Amino acid sequence: MVREPRYLLLKPGLMRELMERTGTGAPVSGRELAAQVGIPHGTVDALLNGATKTQPAHVAHSIASAIGVDVLVLWAPTGRAVPAECPQGSESRTAVSV
């Protein structure tokens, strides 16, 4: 079985800002976003406060679509250039500058 790739949320603050004015011009709350994407609202909260840094590819794509932005505006696929989790105390590296 092939494991689904994970995506790293680059800037939780940017996600919060984009939720204030989505692609439709309307705001979306964390609970509304979670319902649209089909994930627990606690997952959105954890992403916004930095407690959770990665999500499976389908969740990252769904969040970006619900907000109305390209996935790479908020997320970077993890791998050699973008580790899924950085060791504690080290700076995070990103492959995409936002």
Coordinates of all heavy atoms in Angstrom, one line a residue:
M1 N 0.8 -1.2 0.0 CA 0.0 0.0 0.0 C 0.9 1.2 0.0 O 1.8 1.4 0.8 CB -0.9 0.0 1.2 CG -1.8 1.2 1.4 SD -2.8 1.2 2.9 CE -4.4 1.2 2.1
V2 N 0.6 2.2 -0.9 CA 1.3 3.4 -1.0 C 0.8 4.4 0.0 O -0.4 4.6 0.0 CB 1.3 4.0 -2.4 CG1 2.0 5.3 -2.5 CG2 1.8 3.0 -3.4
R3 N 1.6 5.0 0.8 CA 1.2 6.0 1.8 C 1.0 7.4 1.1 O 1.8 7.8 0.3 CB 2.3 6.1 2.8 CG 1.9 6.9 4.0 CD 2.9 6.8 5.1 NE 2.8 8.1 5.8 CZ 3.7 8.5 6.6 NH1 4.8 7.9 6.8 NH2 3.5 9.7 7.3
E4 N -0.1 8.0 1.4 CA -0.4 9.3 0.9 C 0.7 10.4 1.3 O 1.0 10.4 2.5 CB -1.8 9.8 1.3 CG -2.2 11.1 0.7 CD -3.6 11.5 1.1 OE1 -4.2 10.9 2.0 OE2 -4.1 12.5 0.5
P5 N 1.2 11.2 0.4 CA 2.1 12.2 0.8 C 1.5 13.2 1.8 O 0.3 13.4 1.7 CB 2.5 12.9 -0.5 CG 1.7 12.3 -1.6 CD 0.9 11.2 -1.0
R6 N 2.4 13.8 2.6 CA 1.9 14.8 3.5 C 2.4 16.2 3.0 O 3.4 16.3 2.4 CB 2.5 14.5 4.9 CG 1.8 13.2 5.4 CD 2.1 13.0 6.9 NE 1.5 13.9 7.8 CZ 0.2 13.8 8.2 NH1 -0.6 12.8 7.8 NH2 -0.3 14.6 9.1
Y7 N 1.6 17.2 3.4 CA 2.0 18.6 3.1 C 2.2 19.3 4.4 O 1.5 19.2 5.3 CB 0.8 19.2 2.3 CG 0.9 18.9 0.8 CD1 0.8 17.6 0.3 CD2 1.0 19.9 -0.1 CE1 0.8 17.3 -1.0 CE2 1.0 19.6 -1.5 CZ 0.9 18.3 -1.9 OH 1.0 18.1 -3.3
L8 N 3.2 20.2 4.3 CA 3.5 21.1 5.5 C 2.9 22.4 5.3 O 3.0 23.1 4.2 CB 5.1 21.3 5.5 CG 5.6 22.2 6.6 CD1 5.5 21.6 8.0 CD2 7.1 22.5 6.3
L9 N 2.1 22.9 6.3 CA 1.6 24.2 6.3 C 2.7 25.2 6.5 O 3.4 25.2 7.6 CB 0.5 24.4 7.4 CG -0.2 25.7 7.5 CD1 -1.0 26.0 6.2 CD2 -1.2 25.7 8.7
L10 N 2.9 26.1 5.5 CA 4.1 27.0 5.6 C 3.9 28.1 6.6 O 4.8 28.4 7.4 CB 4.3 27.6 4.2 CG 4.7 26.6 3.1 CD1 4.7 27.2 1.8 CD2 6.0 25.9 3.5
K11 N 2.7 28.8 6.6 CA 2.5 29.9 7.5 C 1.1 29.9 8.0 O 0.1 30.3 7.3 CB 2.7 31.2 6.7 CG 4.2 31.4 6.3 CD 4.4 32.8 5.7 CE 5.9 32.9 5.3 NZ 6.1 34.2 4.7
P12 N 0.9 29.4 9.3 CA -0.4 29.4 9.8 C -1.1 30.7 9.8 O -2.3 30.8 9.6 CB -0.2 28.8 11.3 CG 1.1 28.1 11.2 CD 1.9 28.8 10.1
G13 N -0.4 31.8 10.1 CA -0.9 33.1 10.1 C -1.5 33.5 8.7 O -2.5 34.2 8.7
L14 N -0.9 33.1 7.7 CA -1.4 33.4 6.3 C -2.7 32.7 6.1 O -3.6 33.2 5.5 CB -0.4 33.0 5.3 CG -0.8 33.2 3.8 CD1 -1.2 34.7 3.6 CD2 0.3 32.7 2.9
M15 N -2.8 31.4 6.6 CA -4.0 30.7 6.5 C -5.2 31.4 7.2 O -6.3 31.6 6.7 CB -3.9 29.3 7.0 CG -5.1 28.4 6.9 SD -4.8 26.7 7.4 CE -6.4 26.2 8.0
R16 N -4.9 31.9 8.4 CA -5.8 32.7 9.2 C -6.3 33.9 8.4 O -7.5 34.2 8.3 CB -5.3 33.0 10.5 CG -6.3 33.7 11.5 CD -5.7 34.1 12.8 NE -5.0 33.0 13.5 CZ -5.6 32.0 14.2 NH1 -6.9 32.1 14.3 NH2 -5.0 31.0 14.8
E17 N -5.3 34.6 7.8 CA -5.7 35.8 7.1 C -6.5 35.5 5.9 O -7.5 36.2 5.6 CB -4.4 36.5 6.6 CG -3.7 37.3 7.7 CD -2.4 38.0 7.1 OE1 -2.5 38.5 6.0 OE2 -1.4 37.9 7.8
L18 N -6.2 34.4 5.2 CA -7.0 34.1 4.0 C -8.4 33.6 4.3 O -9.3 33.7 3.5 CB -6.2 33.0 3.2 CG -4.9 33.5 2.5 CD1 -4.1 32.3 1.9 CD2 -5.2 34.5 1.4
M19 N -8.5 33.1 5.5 CA -9.9 32.6 6.0 C -10.8 33.8 6.2 O -12.0 33.7 6.1 CB -9.7 31.8 7.3 CG -9.2 30.4 7.0 SD -8.8 29.5 8.6 CE -10.4 29.5 9.3
E20 N -10.2 35.0 6.5 CA -10.9 36.2 6.7 C -11.6 36.8 5.4 O -12.6 37.5 5.5 CB -10.1 37.3 7.3 CG -9.6 37.0 8.7 CD -8.6 38.0 9.3 OE1 -8.4 39.0 8.7 OE2 -8.1 37.7 10.4
R21 N -11.0 36.4 4.3 CA -11.5 36.8 3.0 C -11.1 35.8 2.0 O -10.0 35.8 1.4 CB -11.0 38.2 2.6 CG -11.6 38.7 1.3 CD -11.2 40.1 1.0 NE -11.6 40.6 -0.3 CZ -12.8 41.1 -0.5 NH1 -13.7 41.3 0.5 NH2 -13.2 41.5 -1.7
T22 N -12.0 34.8 1.8 CA -11.7 33.7 0.9 C -11.9 34.1 -0.6 O -12.1 35.3 -0.9 CB -12.7 32.5 1.2 OG1 -14.1 33.0 0.9 CG2 -12.7 32.1 2.6
G23 N -11.7 33.2 -1.5 CA -11.9 33.5 -2.9 C -13.2 34.0 -3.3 O -13.3 34.7 -4.3
T24 N -14.2 33.8 -2.5 CA -15.6 34.3 -2.8 C -15.7 35.7 -2.2 O -16.7 36.4 -2.4 CB -16.7 33.4 -2.2 OG1 -16.6 33.4 -0.7 CG2 -16.6 32.0 -2.7
G25 N -14.8 36.1 -1.3 CA -14.9 37.4 -0.7 C -15.4 37.3 0.7 O -15.4 38.3 1.5
A26 N -16.0 36.2 1.1 CA -16.6 36.0 2.4 C -15.7 35.3 3.3 O -14.8 34.6 2.9 CB -17.9 35.1 2.2
P27 N -15.8 35.6 4.6 CA -14.9 34.9 5.6 C -15.4 33.5 5.8 O -16.6 33.2 5.5 CB -15.1 35.8 6.8 CG -16.5 36.4 6.7 CD -16.7 36.6 5.2
V28 N -14.6 32.7 6.4 CA -14.9 31.3 6.8 C -14.3 31.1 8.1 O -13.2 31.4 8.4 CB -14.5 30.2 5.7 CG1 -13.0 30.2 5.6 CG2 -15.1 28.9 6.1
S29 N -15.1 30.5 9.1 CA -14.6 30.2 10.4 C -13.9 28.9 10.4 O -14.0 28.1 9.4 CB -15.8 30.2 11.4 OG -16.6 29.0 11.2
G30 N -13.2 28.6 11.4 CA -12.5 27.3 11.5 C -13.5 26.1 11.5 O -13.2 25.1 10.8
R31 N -14.6 26.3 12.1 CA -15.6 25.2 12.1 C -16.3 25.1 10.7 O -16.5 23.9 10.3 CB -16.7 25.5 13.1 CG -16.3 25.3 14.6 CD -17.5 25.5 15.5 NE -17.0 25.4 16.9 CZ -17.0 24.2 17.6 NH1 -17.4 23.1 17.0 NH2 -16.6 24.1 18.8
E32 N -16.5 26.2 10.1 CA -17.1 26.1 8.7 C -16.1 25.5 7.8 O -16.5 24.6 6.9 CB -17.4 27.5 8.2 CG -18.6 28.1 8.9 CD -18.8 29.6 8.6 OE1 -17.8 30.3 8.3 OE2 -19.9 30.1 8.8
L33 N -14.8 25.8 7.9 CA -13.8 25.3 7.0 C -13.7 23.8 7.3 O -13.6 23.0 6.3 CB -12.4 26.0 7.2 CG -11.3 25.4 6.4 CD1 -11.5 25.6 4.9 CD2 -10.0 26.2 6.8
A34 N -13.6 23.4 8.5 CA -13.6 22.0 8.8 C -14.7 21.2 8.3 O -14.6 20.1 7.7 CB -13.5 21.8 10.4
A35 N -15.9 21.7 8.4 CA -17.1 21.1 7.8 C -17.0 20.9 6.3 O -17.4 19.9 5.8 CB -18.4 21.8 8.2
Q36 N -16.6 22.0 5.6 CA -16.4 21.9 4.2 C -15.4 20.9 3.7 O -15.6 20.2 2.7 CB -16.0 23.3 3.6 CG -17.1 24.4 3.7 CD -16.6 25.7 3.2 OE1 -15.6 25.8 2.4 NE2 -17.2 26.8 3.6
V37 N -14.3 20.8 4.5 CA -13.3 19.8 4.2 C -13.5 18.4 4.6 O -13.0 17.5 4.1 CB -11.9 20.4 4.7 CG1 -10.8 19.4 4.5 CG2 -11.6 21.7 4.1
G38 N -14.4 18.3 5.7 CA -14.7 17.0 6.2 C -13.7 16.5 7.2 O -13.4 15.3 7.3
I39 N -13.2 17.4 8.0 CA -12.2 17.1 9.1 C -12.7 17.6 10.4 O -13.5 18.5 10.4 CB -10.8 17.6 8.8 CG1 -10.8 19.2 8.6 CG2 -10.2 16.9 7.5 CD1 -9.5 19.8 8.4
P40 N -12.2 17.2 11.5 CA -12.6 17.7 12.8 C -12.2 19.2 12.9 O -11.1 19.6 12.5 CB -11.9 16.9 13.9 CG -11.5 15.6 13.1 CD -11.3 16.0 11.7
H41 N -13.0 20.0 13.6 CA -12.6 21.4 13.7 C -11.4 21.6 14.6 O -10.6 22.6 14.4 CB -13.8 22.3 14.3 CG -14.2 22.0 15.7 ND1 -13.5 22.6 16.8 CD2 -15.1 21.2 16.2 CE1 -14.0 22.2 17.9 NE2 -15.0 21.3 17.6
G42 N -11.1 20.6 15.4 CA -9.9 20.7 16.2 C -8.6 20.6 15.3 O -7.6 21.1 15.7
T43 N -8.7 20.0 14.2 CA -7.6 19.9 13.3 C -7.3 21.3 12.7 O -6.1 21.7 12.6 CB -7.9 18.9 12.1 OG1 -8.1 17.6 12.7 CG2 -6.7 18.8 11.1
V44 N -8.3 22.0 12.3 CA -8.1 23.4 11.8 C -7.5 24.2 12.9 O -6.6 25.0 12.7 CB -9.4 24.0 11.3 CG1 -9.3 25.4 10.9 CG2 -9.9 23.2 10.1
D45 N -8.0 24.1 14.1 CA -7.5 24.9 15.3 C -6.0 24.6 15.5 O -5.2 25.5 15.7 CB -8.3 24.6 16.5 CG -9.7 25.2 16.5 OD1 -10.0 26.1 15.7 OD2 -10.5 24.7 17.3
A46 N -5.7 23.3 15.4 CA -4.3 22.9 15.7 C -3.4 23.4 14.5 O -2.2 23.7 14.8 CB -4.2 21.3 15.8
L47 N -3.9 23.4 13.3 CA -3.1 24.0 12.2 C -2.9 25.5 12.4 O -1.7 26.0 12.3 CB -3.8 23.8 10.9 CG -3.7 22.3 10.3 CD1 -4.7 22.1 9.2 CD2 -2.3 22.0 9.9
L48 N -3.9 26.2 12.8 CA -3.8 27.6 13.0 C -2.9 28.0 14.2 O -2.3 29.1 14.1 CB -5.2 28.2 13.2 CG -6.1 28.2 11.9 CD1 -7.5 28.7 12.3 CD2 -5.5 29.0 10.8
N49 N -2.8 27.2 15.2 CA -2.0 27.6 16.3 C -0.6 26.9 16.3 O 0.2 27.1 17.2 CB -2.7 27.3 17.7 CG -2.9 25.9 18.0 OD1 -2.1 25.0 17.6 ND2 -3.9 25.5 18.7
G50 N -0.3 26.2 15.2 CA 1.0 25.6 15.0 C 1.2 24.3 15.7 O 2.3 23.7 15.6
A51 N 0.2 23.8 16.4 CA 0.4 22.5 17.1 C 0.5 21.3 16.1 O 1.2 20.3 16.4 CB -0.8 22.2 18.1
T52 N -0.2 21.4 15.0 CA -0.1 20.5 13.9 C 0.5 21.2 12.7 O 0.1 22.3 12.4 CB -1.5 19.9 13.6 OG1 -2.0 19.2 14.7 CG2 -1.5 19.0 12.4
K53 N 1.4 20.5 12.1 CA 2.1 21.2 11.0 C 1.9 20.6 9.6 O 2.0 21.2 8.6 CB 3.6 21.2 11.3 CG 4.0 21.9 12.5 CD 5.5 22.0 12.7 CE 5.9 22.7 14.0 NZ 5.2 23.8 14.4
T54 N 1.5 19.3 9.6 CA 1.3 18.6 8.3 C -0.1 18.0 8.3 O -0.7 17.7 9.3 CB 2.3 17.5 8.1 OG1 2.2 16.5 9.1 CG2 3.7 18.0 8.1
Q55 N -0.5 17.7 7.0 CA -1.8 17.0 6.7 C -1.6 16.2 5.5 O -0.7 16.4 4.7 CB -2.9 18.0 6.5 CG -3.4 18.7 7.7 CD -4.0 17.7 8.7 OE1 -5.0 17.1 8.5 NE2 -3.4 17.7 9.9
P56 N -2.4 15.1 5.3 CA -2.3 14.4 4.1 C -2.6 15.3 2.9 O -3.3 16.3 3.0 CB -3.4 13.3 4.3 CG -3.7 13.2 5.8 CD -3.4 14.6 6.3
A57 N -2.1 14.9 1.8 CA -2.3 15.7 0.5 C -3.7 16.1 0.3 O -4.0 17.2 -0.1 CB -1.7 15.0 -0.6
H58 N -4.6 15.1 0.4 CA -6.0 15.4 0.1 C -6.6 16.5 1.0 O -7.4 17.3 0.6 CB -6.9 14.1 0.0 CG -7.3 13.6 1.4 ND1 -6.5 12.8 2.2 CD2 -8.4 13.8 2.1 CE1 -7.1 12.6 3.3 NE2 -8.3 13.1 3.3
V59 N -6.2 16.5 2.2 CA -6.7 17.5 3.2 C -6.1 18.9 2.8 O -6.8 19.9 2.8 CB -6.4 17.2 4.6 CG1 -6.7 18.3 5.6 CG2 -7.1 15.9 5.0
A60 N -4.8 18.9 2.5 CA -4.2 20.2 2.1 C -4.8 20.8 0.9 O -5.1 22.0 0.8 CB -2.7 20.0 1.9
H61 N -5.1 19.9 -0.1 CA -5.7 20.4 -1.3 C -7.2 20.9 -1.1 O -7.6 21.9 -1.6 CB -5.7 19.3 -2.4 CG -4.4 19.1 -3.1 ND1 -4.0 19.8 -4.2 CD2 -3.3 18.4 -2.7 CE1 -2.8 19.5 -4.6 NE2 -2.3 18.6 -3.7
S62 N -7.9 20.2 -0.2 CA -9.2 20.5 0.1 C -9.3 21.9 0.9 O -10.2 22.7 0.6 CB -9.9 19.4 0.9 OG -10.1 18.3 0.2
I63 N -8.4 22.1 1.8 CA -8.4 23.3 2.5 C -8.1 24.5 1.6 O -8.7 25.5 1.6 CB -7.3 23.3 3.7 CG1 -7.8 22.4 4.8 CG2 -7.0 24.7 4.2 CD1 -6.8 22.1 5.9
A64 N -7.1 24.3 0.7 CA -6.7 25.4 -0.2 C -7.9 25.7 -1.2 O -8.2 26.8 -1.4 CB -5.5 25.0 -1.0
S65 N -8.6 24.7 -1.6 CA -9.7 24.8 -2.5 C -10.8 25.6 -1.8 O -11.5 26.5 -2.4 CB -10.2 23.5 -3.0 OG -11.3 23.6 -3.8
A66 N -11.1 25.2 -0.6 CA -12.2 25.8 0.2 C -11.9 27.3 0.5 O -12.8 28.1 0.5 CB -12.4 25.1 1.5
I67 N -10.7 27.6 0.7 CA -10.3 29.0 0.9 C -10.2 29.8 -0.4 O -10.4 31.0 -0.4 CB -8.9 29.1 1.7 CG1 -9.1 28.5 3.1 CG2 -8.4 30.5 1.7 CD1 -7.8 28.4 3.9
G68 N -9.9 29.1 -1.5 CA -9.9 29.7 -2.8 C -8.5 30.1 -3.3 O -8.4 31.1 -4.0
V69 N -7.5 29.3 -2.9 CA -6.1 29.6 -3.3 C -5.5 28.4 -3.8 O -5.9 27.2 -3.6 CB -5.2 30.2 -2.1 CG1 -5.8 31.5 -1.6 CG2 -5.1 29.2 -1.0
D70 N -4.4 28.5 -4.6 CA -3.6 27.4 -5.0 C -3.0 26.7 -3.8 O -2.6 27.4 -2.9 CB -2.5 27.9 -6.0 CG -1.7 26.7 -6.6 OD1 -2.2 26.0 -7.4 OD2 -0.6 26.5 -6.1
V71 N -2.9 25.4 -3.9 CA -2.4 24.6 -2.7 C -1.0 25.1 -2.3 O -0.6 25.2 -1.1 CB -2.4 23.1 -3.0 CG1 -1.4 22.7 -4.0 CG2 -2.2 22.3 -1.7
L72 N -0.1 25.5 -3.3 CA 1.3 25.9 -2.9 C 1.4 27.3 -2.3 O 2.4 27.7 -1.8 CB 2.1 25.8 -4.2 CG 2.3 24.4 -4.7 CD1 3.2 24.4 -6.0 CD2 2.9 23.4 -3.7
V73 N 0.3 28.0 -2.2 CA 0.3 29.3 -1.5 C 0.4 29.0 0.0 O 1.1 29.7 0.7 CB -1.0 30.1 -1.8 CG1 -1.2 31.3 -0.8 CG2 -1.1 30.5 -3.2
L74 N -0.2 27.9 0.5 CA -0.2 27.6 1.9 C 0.6 26.4 2.3 O 1.1 26.3 3.4 CB -1.7 27.3 2.4 CG -2.6 28.5 2.5 CD1 -4.0 28.0 2.8 CD2 -2.1 29.4 3.5
W75 N 0.8 25.5 1.4 CA 1.4 24.2 1.7 C 2.6 23.8 0.8 O 2.7 24.3 -0.3 CB 0.3 23.1 1.4 CG -0.9 23.2 2.2 CD1 -2.0 23.9 1.8 CD2 -1.2 22.7 3.5 NE1 -3.0 23.9 2.8 CE2 -2.5 23.1 3.8 CE3 -0.5 22.0 4.4 CZ2 -3.1 22.8 5.0 CZ3 -1.1 21.6 5.6 CH2 -2.4 22.0 5.9
A76 N 3.5 23.0 1.3 CA 4.6 22.5 0.6 C 4.6 21.0 0.8 O 4.5 20.5 1.9 CB 5.9 23.1 1.1
P77 N 4.7 20.2 -0.3 CA 4.8 18.8 -0.2 C 6.1 18.4 0.6 O 7.1 19.0 0.4 CB 4.8 18.2 -1.6 CG 5.1 19.4 -2.5 CD 4.8 20.7 -1.7
T78 N 5.9 17.5 1.5 CA 7.1 17.1 2.3 C 8.0 16.1 1.5 O 7.5 15.4 0.6 CB 6.7 16.5 3.7 OG1 5.9 15.3 3.5 CG2 5.9 17.5 4.5
G79 N 9.2 16.0 1.9 CA 10.2 15.1 1.3 C 11.5 15.6 1.7 O 11.7 16.1 2.7
R80 N 12.5 15.3 0.8 CA 13.9 15.7 1.1 C 14.1 17.1 1.4 O 14.8 17.6 2.3 CB 14.8 15.1 0.1 CG 14.9 13.7 0.1 CD 15.8 13.1 -1.0 NE 16.9 14.0 -1.3 CZ 17.9 13.6 -2.0 NH1 18.0 12.4 -2.5 NH2 18.9 14.5 -2.2
A81 N 13.5 18.0 0.5 CA 13.7 19.4 0.6 C 12.8 20.1 1.7 O 13.2 21.1 2.3 CB 13.3 20.1 -0.7
V82 N 11.7 19.4 2.1 CA 10.8 20.0 3.1 C 10.5 18.8 4.0 O 9.6 18.0 3.8 CB 9.5 20.5 2.5 CG1 8.6 21.1 3.6 CG2 9.8 21.6 1.4
P83 N 11.2 18.8 5.2 CA 10.9 17.7 6.1 C 9.5 17.8 6.7 O 9.0 19.0 6.9 CB 12.0 17.8 7.2 CG 12.5 19.2 7.0 CD 12.2 19.6 5.6
A84 N 8.9 16.7 7.0 CA 7.5 16.7 7.6 C 7.5 17.4 8.9 O 6.6 18.1 9.3 CB 6.9 15.3 7.7
E85 N 8.5 17.1 9.7 CA 8.6 17.7 11.1 C 10.1 18.1 11.3 O 11.0 17.3 10.9 CB 8.2 16.7 12.1 CG 6.8 16.3 12.0 CD 5.7 17.4 12.3 OE1 6.1 18.3 13.0 OE2 4.6 17.3 11.8
C86 N 10.3 19.3 11.8 CA 11.7 19.7 12.1 C 12.1 19.3 13.5 O 11.3 19.3 14.4 CB 11.8 21.2 11.9 SG 11.5 21.8 10.2
P87 N 13.3 18.9 13.7 CA 13.8 18.6 15.1 C 13.5 19.8 16.0 O 13.7 21.0 15.5 CB 15.3 18.3 14.9 CG 15.5 18.0 13.5 CD 14.4 18.8 12.7
Q88 N 13.2 19.6 17.2 CA 12.9 20.6 18.1 C 14.1 21.5 18.3 O 15.3 21.1 18.4 CB 12.5 20.1 19.5 CG 11.8 21.1 20.4 CD 11.2 20.4 21.6 OE1 11.6 19.3 21.9 NE2 10.3 21.1 22.2
G89 N 13.9 22.8 18.2 CA 15.0 23.8 18.4 C 15.7 24.2 17.1 O 16.4 25.1 17.1
S90 N 15.3 23.5 16.0 CA 15.9 23.9 14.7 C 15.0 24.8 13.9 O 13.8 24.7 14.1 CB 16.4 22.7 13.9 OG 15.2 22.0 13.4
E91 N 15.5 25.6 13.0 CA 14.6 26.4 12.2 C 13.9 25.5 11.1 O 14.5 24.6 10.7 CB 15.4 27.5 11.5 CG 15.9 28.6 12.4 CD 16.5 29.7 11.6 OE1 16.2 29.9 10.4 OE2 17.4 30.4 12.1
S92 N 12.7 25.9 10.8 CA 12.0 25.1 9.8 C 12.5 25.6 8.4 O 12.9 26.7 8.2 CB 10.5 25.3 9.8 OG 10.2 26.6 9.5
R93 N 12.6 24.6 7.5 CA 13.0 25.0 6.1 C 11.8 24.9 5.2 O 11.0 24.0 5.4 CB 14.1 24.0 5.6 CG 15.4 24.0 6.5 CD 16.4 23.0 6.0 NE 15.8 21.7 6.0 CZ 16.4 20.6 5.5 NH1 17.5 20.7 4.9 NH2 15.8 19.5 5.6
T94 N 11.7 25.8 4.3 CA 10.6 25.7 3.3 C 11.2 25.8 1.9 O 12.2 26.4 1.7 CB 9.6 26.9 3.5 OG1 10.4 28.1 3.4 CG2 9.0 26.8 4.9
A95 N 10.5 25.1 1.0 CA 10.9 25.1 -0.3 C 10.3 26.2 -1.1 O 10.7 26.5 -2.2 CB 10.6 23.7 -1.0
V96 N 9.2 26.8 -0.6 CA 8.5 27.8 -1.2 C 8.5 29.1 -0.4 O 8.2 29.0 0.8 CB 7.0 27.3 -1.5 CG1 6.2 28.4 -2.2 CG2 7.0 26.1 -2.3
S97 N 8.8 30.2 -0.9 CA 8.7 31.5 -0.2 C 7.4 32.1 -0.5 O 6.9 32.2 -1.6 CB 9.8 32.4 -0.7 OG 9.7 33.6 -0.1
V98 N 6.7 32.5 0.6 CA 5.3 33.1 0.5 C 5.4 34.5 1.0 O 6.0 34.8 1.9 CB 4.3 32.2 1.3 CG1 2.9 32.9 1.2 CG2 4.3 30.8 0.8

